[in-house]
Each structure stands twice: as structure tokens, then as C-alpha cells.
Amino acid sequence: MALITGILLTAAMAVCQPVDITKEPSHKKTMLDAVMYHLLTKHYAPKPIDNNYSQAVWDNFLHYLDSNHILFLQSDLNKLGTHRHSIDEQLKTGSSAFFDAVMEIYASRITEVQRLYPEILSSGMQLEKKESFTPGSRLQPFPSGTEERKDAWRKMLKYDFLKKYIAAKQAKGKNSTAINTLPASLEASIKTSIRHQYDAGFSQQLSARAITEKFYQYVNIIAMEMDPHTNFMLPDIDRAPPGIDGKPYFSAGFTLSEQGGEHYITEIIPGSFAEQSGQELVNHRIISIRDSTGKMTTVSGKTSLEVAHLLSGKKGSSLNMIIANNSLEEKEVSIAREEMKYNSYRMRSAILERNGKKTGYIYFPFFYGNFAFKNDIGVESDLLRELAKLNGLEAEALIIDLRGNPGGSTSEAERMLGDLMGAGDVSILKGKNSEQVLGNPVNTEPRFKGPLTIMLDESSASASEILSAAVQDHGRGILIGTASSFGKGTAQTTIGIVKKENDKAVIQYGTLKLTEKKFYRINGISTQFKGVTPDIVIQQRMSNNSIREIDYPTALPADTLKVENYTPGKRNFNYELVVKQARERISNNPALQLIAENMQQLEKLQAAPWELTIQGFESKTNAIAQLEANIRKAREPDPGKLLQVESSLPPWINPDTLLPFEHLQYQHWLNQLKKDIYLAEALSVTEDMMNQSNKQLP
């Protein structure tokens, strides 16, 4: 069993098809019995399985199946109401009665709406009617009957229609005043696009695999009611992503994003064949991809992992796909697949130079280690490599960027702290009946002794919080970032739920990621729930859409351990002065003030319902786009204030050993660093520490 505190990559999972519960109903009881046993006996703080627990599972499963409240009717909820306070009793006996009752109704409702949305799309959208729609609102009541459900579907389809229409209009450059004019050809194209999207989404909803997956999600909802990080997962989670085993693979040179079951090309990798093709690809939606058999496969409704495998192919093959822009204009493109490496997770470094002083900069997206990769790759070994380079380039100080870092291997974080601080205790790991002080041996020597700055934001979690909290508690450096980090102070163990015969697993039911322990700072304060507060707060949040532990209703609470003999570390610089200078710079920075003002306005606007008229929808769309543009512009420094960023590749590394796109990708990354206004402030803080480190403290 592996102890993890952040993300678990699919490479660590057993690759096996999930059981088919439609053929073997007994599998449901087996899974429920096993999961409930572990939840009740091994969870760090198991909740009572009572009516409150039952109510939460009831609500969350129905919302999962019908997030817009446009499928089930009030009569369905009344019928299912008999289970509202009995799921707890069902779980104690391994009964799936609630799930079975829901799926019986679900099947009939899916069949009904498969006839409903084509009917609505074939008629008028009532664009002149003033009304509103809020996607995914839990406050929206379920329809009282079929007519009310039909109207709810009409509103949602109208929302989809207006979204595509405004995007198409703006893509065509139509900024005229004739916003009420809707060409018949465009209307037909939009309706066809929406129809295909829903057809793809509904086509497999009642398949055996889909029903099995919904049962897994039901069990997952049961598990997550204990806490947000206790999860039950499919045994295969589809498949591992291409190249995660470290081997080369052949694919296209672009990245994707998924929105509402649709997949969009978001960025072209510099120097890749995709860029060299000269074809316009960014912001295009992928409609279909030609698979290995030569068949064009629709990608709507597929997972990102499934699409990643469709994009990959044999050496020398071409990627053929049909894509569409926001104007709904389709085209078929062909791009030669090239050798790629799954290396975006690997640590990177650079040199920042200003006023004759050099500062090293290190970034890595998560704490990777052998728990996820079947090789010797680990973030701590990469840190040693990067520190050796930075020391060789005479870096006097160091910035480690943990923004957006969700955590990972805690042992890697502990060893990294040894490289940065030397010997000493760094955190406390507490189980239900145990307590362990984590640290590094007395013979551990730091590999870097200069001033240290850690950058955080609200997405920095788990192992990121262990590292940053230890740096703060020992006085080793300064933390700068958003109002707090994520607040994940729990550790999980992975438990395979299997059926064994003769000591061999013959059926893999799934994997339970179970919260068994809790992390505490070396001063006894838990990072759970509240997170780590930086010494210098540069901005409240980096994104209005970010989620923190405090936002989860099932999050475990914060608490404090009584710790003997803790003494805060002594800093070798004037901490009060450095913090005071930074706060003055931040409060007088007009760009940061502008970002804060626009983010507040954007948050209010995003939370407001969408007005379902062309004028109202376009007005809100434009207002959101303008606020987002204001934020992007404020984050772009003046050309004369770009940071001086240099490659940290030492002279003995031959750039010719890198794949061409890798070298260009690294250069692109360096250019982005030059424009990072938050990094600029972190550098100023680091320089203040350098200026103060050799002076007598008051």
C-alpha cells in the first residue's frame, strides 16, 4: 500500500476491466461490503452511518445523475423518498436497493429525453422570450411534470444555442447592431451541432459499462461522504496515458482542454509538427479522429484519456481529424505524428539575474516519485540535479515555485527539505492510534544554503504544504502567495478491492483511496482545512474558479497537537523589514489592485444567472471577456520591466540530445517567466533577503 497525499497517477493502478454488474449483481454487494468495512475500521475519523449520512448520499447521487435537474420528476423523488433515510441501513447489509431503484427510473427517463431534445431543437428556440438559466444549480427544483421538464430542457438547449451563436457571431467578426438577426443557415448548423453533441452523450448511457460506471460513482459518493479525499475508483481508470512509462510515443504537438464533454485544442507545442504545419488549430473543437482501423471516431462524450489514445499512433503515421472553429466551419486536417515524451511533469530551472545578482528558480507541477513511475525518477533526485546546476552557475538565492502544485509523494518532500535545510524534524504524521515525527537524519547536509523563497497559491496542496510549512516553521525562508494554500492535511492509503483464489487476485473490483492519517506542522498546527498562510500575501486568489479544502462540506476539521520542546527556527535576515517592504510594494502596485478589482467584478458576474436573450447573453459574454482581458493585460508587465531570465542548462549538456520541440518548449517557458509579475515580486523579496542576510539583526 502506498502512502500518498496528493494525486495518484493511473500508472500506479492495476490495469483491468471493471466487473460487469449487469451480469453479476452479486458484485455490488461484494464491493459495498468491502468498502464499508474499510471505511468503518480504518478511516482516520469515520462518521456515523446514520440518517444524515443517508440523506447526503441520496442528494449527491441524484445530483450527479441530473446536475441541471432536467431528467427526474418530482414524482420520481417522491418514489425514491423511501430510501432517503434508509441508505445507511442498506450499507450495513451490502444492499444496493437505492441504486437499483434509481437506475430503474433513470433508464425510462433517459429514453424519454432522447426523444425530447430532438423535438425541441426542431422547433423554435423562443429567442425573444426573456428568461434565465443557471447551469448546475442545486437550488433549481426538479420539474413537477413532463411539461415543466420539457420547458427546463428548452431553456438548457436555448442556453447551449446562444453560447454557440454568440461565439460564432464573434468569430465572424460581426459586431454590428443587428444582433437580433439570425441567418437560417447558421441556426440550422448550431442546432445540428447541439444535436450531435447530445446524441453522442446519450448513446451509451444505458450500456452495461455505463451502468457499471455509475455504480462505481455511487460507491465513490458513499466513500467521499467520509471526507473529500477518500475515493473509490474503477480498477483501470480507462488506461494509463501514453508515455507515462517513460517510453517514447508518437502523437500530435498540441494540448487539449475538455468542456462539457467536448474537446478543444488549447495550445500548440512550439517547434512541433503541428506548429510547422501552419494550420489554424487553436480554439478549434475536435469532432472526430480517424482510429487505427481507419474509421472516423466521434470524440464527444469521451474522456480526455480516451482522446489522448486516439491522438497517438504508430511511428510514421498521420493524425487525421475533423475539427470545427467557433463559426462551426468544419475542416479535415492531417498532421504527421512525431516522437513525444511524457516529460511535462519533470522539474525545470532557470537563472534570474538582476542588479548583478543571480537567483535560481525551480518549478515542478507535482511531487512525483516511484509510487507513480516504474523507474528511478523522483522529484528529489531531480532537485539535486538542478541545485548542482544552479550552484555551478553561482546562484546566490533560490525561488521554488509551488503554485498549482497538488502534492504527491510525502517522502520526496521530506528528502527535499533535507536538501534545503539539512537534518531536523519537518512534520508529524498522526494515525488513529499512532503518532510519528517525520524528518531527516542527523547527518543530512543541506545542498543549498542561500536565501530561499517559496511561491504558493490556493491550489498548492498536501506535500506542497508540508514543504512550505516546514520552511516557515524553521525560519529557513519566506513564503509568498495567495491568502492561503489549499488546506489538505490528510494522507491516504490505496487498498485494492479484489477477489482472491489460491492467494491470487482473480477479480479486481476497484481501488479504495482511504484517508488513514493526518499531517501536522512540527509546531503541532494542522495544515488541514485552513492551509498554510504565507508571510507575504500578494493576492487573495489566483482564480475565481479555484476550490479549496474549506469549500468541501465533508472536509475534516482543523485541530492542533500539543508539542513538547518546539522552538521556532531563527532567521538569518531581518524578517520584519523584508515583509514590510514587500507589503508596501504590493499595496502600491496598480496592476495588482486592478487585478483584484476585476476579479471581484468577474466573480459576481459569473455567479449571476444567464439571461436567455441574444442581447442579454451577448452582453454578459462580452462583459466576462472584457474583465478577463483586463486581468490578462494587468498581468502583462511593461516591455521595459521584463525579467532577465537565462537558461540553466550547463555547457556540458548538448542541446542536440533533446528532441527539437523540447528545446523550443523550454525556451517558450523561459519567455513566459520573463512576463510573470508574481515572480517579479518574489524576486524582489529574495533580493531583500540577500541584502539583509549579512547585516546585524536588531
Side-chain angles (χ1 to χ4, degrees):
M1 294 187 293
L3 182 67
I4 57 176
T5 66
I7 57 176
L8 181 68
L9 295 185
T10 53
M13 308 302 297
V15 178
C16 175
Q17 290 298 314
V19 297
D20 184 352
I21 63 168
T22 62
K23 293 182 179 179
E24 297 289 343
S26 62
H27 290 331
K28 291 185 285 188
K29 176 174 170 53
T30 301
M31 282 187 272
L32 284 171
D33 284 342
V35 169
M36 292 307 299
Y37 168 77
H38 290 295
L39 290 179
L40 293 174
T41 62
K42 297 182 179 180
H43 191 275
Y44 178 82
K47 296 177 182 177
I49 308 300
D50 54 16
N51 283 350
N52 290 331
Y53 202 96
S54 180
Q55 175 74 64
V57 172
W58 192 92
D59 287 336
N60 290 332
F61 186 57
L62 291 178
H63 186 74
Y64 157 73
L65 291 174
D66 187 10
S67 61
N68 287 304
H69 296 187
I70 54 172
L71 183 68
F72 295 116
L73 305 176
Q74 283 291 343
S75 58
D76 300 330
L77 272 64
N78 294 338
K79 185 176 180 180
L80 294 170
T82 57
H83 298 273
R84 191 187 297 267
H85 293 140
S86 67
I87 296 174
D88 52 327
E89 296 301 324
Q90 296 173 24
L91 296 179
K92 294 172 184 177
T93 61
S95 169
S96 59
F98 172 61
F99 174 82
D100 298 335
V102 172
M103 293 310 297
E104 182 180 355
I105 296 173
Y106 181 80
S108 62
R109 297 306 180 216
I110 287 291
T111 302
E112 291 168 3
V113 299
Q114 281 182 298
R115 296 191 295 265
L116 182 60
Y117 67 82
E119 176 188 339
I120 296 171
L121 287 171
S122 65
S123 59
M125 303 299 296
Q126 299 185 31
L127 295 177
E128 72 290 344
K129 185 176 182 179
K130 287 189 176 182
E131 51 194 347
S132 63
F133 179 73
T134 304
S137 173
R138 281 181 176 264
L139 301 177
Q140 176 68 29
F142 285 87
S144 60
T146 55
E147 285 304 311
E148 194 169 300
R149 182 179 62 183
K150 181 177 181 180
D151 197 55
W153 263 94
R154 181 188 59 77
K155 285 184 179 180
M156 190 179 74
L157 292 171
K158 186 178 176 182
Y159 167 83
D160 292 335
F161 182 92
L162 287 169
K163 190 174 182 179
K164 289 181 178 291
Y165 169 64
I166 298 302
K169 176 174 179 280
Q170 293 178 344
K172 290 177 177 293
K174 292 186 176 181
N175 295 315
S176 65
T177 57
I179 60 175
N180 289 311
T181 303
L182 184 62
S185 58
L186 179 57
E187 180 177 3
S189 296
I190 293 174
K191 288 183 176 181
T192 299
S193 174
I194 295 172
R195 170 72 184 268
H196 288 166
Q197 178 182 335
Y198 281 97
D199 284 348
F202 278 109
S203 62
Q204 299 298 317
Q205 285 299 305
L206 299 179
S207 68
R209 181 179 176 93
I211 293 172
T212 296
E213 288 176 345
K214 286 174 175 60
F215 181 72
Y216 274 89
Q217 186 58 37
Y218 174 60
V219 182
N220 185 47
I221 287 170
I222 293 167
M224 289 183 68
E225 193 54 32
M226 283 291 175
D227 82 282
H229 308 290
T230 292
N231 309 128
F232 184 67
M233 297 167 284
L234 284 165
D236 61 343
I237 317 185
D238 293 317
R239 283 177 288 178
I244 198 169
D245 56 2
K247 297 179 181 178
Y249 66 103
F250 297 86
S251 190
F254 54 75
T255 58
L256 296 179
S257 67
E258 188 270 335
Q259 302 172 29
E262 300 287 352
H263 300 270
Y264 296 84
I265 300 172
T266 53
E267 187 178 8
I268 304 298
I269 296 175
S272 65
F273 288 166
E275 182 185 62
Q276 294 174 24
S277 72
Q279 300 180 89
E280 191 175 344
L281 301 170
V282 175
N283 295 328
H284 281 61
R285 176 173 61 90
I286 299 179
I287 297 173
S288 56
I289 300 172
R290 195 175 302 281
D291 64 20
S292 58
T293 67
K295 176 186 175 183
M296 275 291 183
T297 302
T298 302
V299 302
S300 291
K302 291 188 178 296
T303 66
S304 298
L305 204 51
E306 289 173 318
V307 175
H309 281 281
L310 283 170
L311 292 172
S312 302
K314 294 181 180 180
K315 181 179 180 179
S317 65
S318 293
L319 168 65
N320 297 293
M321 56 184 180
I322 296 174
I323 61 176
N325 60 18
N326 283 333
S327 299
L328 303 182
E329 298 165 339
E330 298 183 6
K331 63 180 179 181
E332 183 169 352
V333 297
S334 178
I335 303 170
R337 290 187 174 98
E338 59 188 308
E339 182 179 339
M340 308 292 287
K341 290 182 181 178
Y342 189 82
N343 64 0
S344 59
Y345 63 89
R346 295 294 294 271
M347 183 178 287
R348 298 177 180 181
S349 68
I351 286 287
L352 310 176
E353 188 167 0
R354 192 162 65 183
N355 300 324
K357 294 184 177 181
K358 292 182 178 180
T359 297
Y361 170 82
I362 285 176
Y363 168 78
F364 53 100
F366 70 97
F367 287 76
Y368 49 90
N370 288 328
F371 76 94
F373 299 97
K374 304 300 183 183
N375 48 38
D376 295 328
I377 293 172
V379 68
E380 191 263 345
S381 61
D382 280 355
L383 176 68
L384 293 178
R385 175 174 56 84
E386 298 299 336
L387 289 179
K389 290 194 299 185
L390 296 173
N391 282 323
L393 293 168
E394 300 180 336
E396 300 178 53
L398 180 64
I399 297 173
I400 296 181
D401 192 346
L402 297 179
R403 289 177 294 177
N405 190 314
S409 170
T410 59
S411 58
E412 294 287 332
E414 292 164 30
R415 288 195 293 269
M416 288 180 69
L417 284 165
D419 299 330
L420 298 170
M421 300 192 307
D425 299 334
V426 297
S427 65
I428 302 169
L429 182 60
K430 186 178 183 302
K432 292 173 70 172
N433 303 302
S434 64
E435 189 173 308
Q436 178 185 5
V437 177
L438 304 177
N440 290 289
V442 294
N443 59 351
T444 303
E445 288 291 329
R447 303 300 182 94
F448 189 89
K449 299 181 180 180
L452 174 65
T453 300
I454 306 290
M455 299 182 70
L456 299 169
D457 65 13
E458 68 271 25
S459 298
S460 305
S462 193
S464 292
E465 295 172 298
I466 290 174
L467 188 145
S468 56
V471 167
Q472 192 176 57
D473 294 339
H474 284 276
R476 175 62 181 88
I478 272 188
L479 312 185
I480 181 171
T482 53
S484 80
S485 59
F486 181 86
K488 183 180 182 292
T490 56
Q492 286 70 42
T493 300
T494 57
I495 302 171
I497 307 298
V498 300
K499 178 182 179 181
K500 290 186 176 181
E501 291 181 1
N502 299 322
D503 292 328
K504 291 184 179 180
V506 294
I507 298 178
Q508 175 79 17
Y509 291 107
T511 302
L512 179 66
K513 190 172 70 168
L514 182 68
T515 296
E516 284 194 343
K517 297 182 180 181
K518 203 170 181 181
F519 277 99
Y520 295 80
R521 300 168 71 134
I522 201 61
N523 60 13
I525 298 173
S526 174
T527 57
Q528 172 61 21
F529 199 72
K530 294 182 179 179
V532 177
T533 301
D535 304 286
I536 300 164
V537 175
I538 197 170
Q539 190 170 298
Q540 288 299 303
R541 287 191 296 172
M542 291 300 296
S543 169
N544 286 330
N545 299 322
S546 58
I547 300 294
R548 292 177 52 216
E549 185 81 0
I550 199 170
D551 297 315
Y552 289 105
T554 62
L556 297 183
D559 61 342
T560 302
L561 294 178
K562 185 177 181 181
V563 175
E564 303 288 345
N565 303 321
Y566 166 71
T567 302
K570 293 183 179 180
R571 300 179 176 91
N572 64 350
F573 61 93
N574 192 326
Y575 172 82
E576 286 74 18
L577 179 59
V578 171
V579 171
K580 179 175 179 291
Q581 291 172 334
R583 289 173 178 170
E584 288 176 352
R585 281 193 302 269
I586 292 168
S587 63
N588 294 321
N589 187 321
L592 293 176
Q593 293 174 4
L594 185 61
I595 291 169
E597 293 169 1
N598 280 268
M599 285 187 68
Q600 288 177 359
Q601 295 178 43
L602 182 60
E603 183 177 21
K604 293 179 181 178
L605 190 58
Q606 289 173 328
W610 285 86
E611 182 183 318
L612 297 182
T613 64
I614 293 179
Q615 300 96 321
F617 205 95
E618 185 168 37
S619 176
K620 180 173 177 176
T621 300
N622 290 340
I624 289 175
Q626 184 60 59
L627 290 170
E628 291 175 338
N630 293 344
I631 294 169
R632 286 194 301 271
K633 184 177 180 181
R635 286 175 173 165
E636 289 281 340
D638 295 334
K641 294 183 179 180
L642 297 180
L643 294 175
Q644 184 177 341
V645 181
E646 299 174 4
S647 168
S648 68
L649 288 176
W652 59 85
I653 293 293
N654 182 1
D656 294 337
T657 63
L658 301 175
L659 293 175
F661 81 86
E662 288 184 286
H663 185 69
L664 289 169
Q665 193 175 22
Y666 178 70
Q667 291 300 321
H668 174 72
W669 178 72
L670 294 177
N671 290 332
Q672 294 301 111
L673 294 182
K674 296 176 183 179
K675 305 174 184 178
D676 191 335
I677 64 172
Y678 305 105
L679 178 57
E681 179 53 39
L683 179 59
S684 295
V685 169
T686 309
E687 289 172 338
D688 288 344
M689 282 194 286
M690 283 192 278
N691 294 333
Q692 293 291 328
S693 61
N694 295 320
K695 294 182 180 180
Q696 185 67 36
L697 301 183

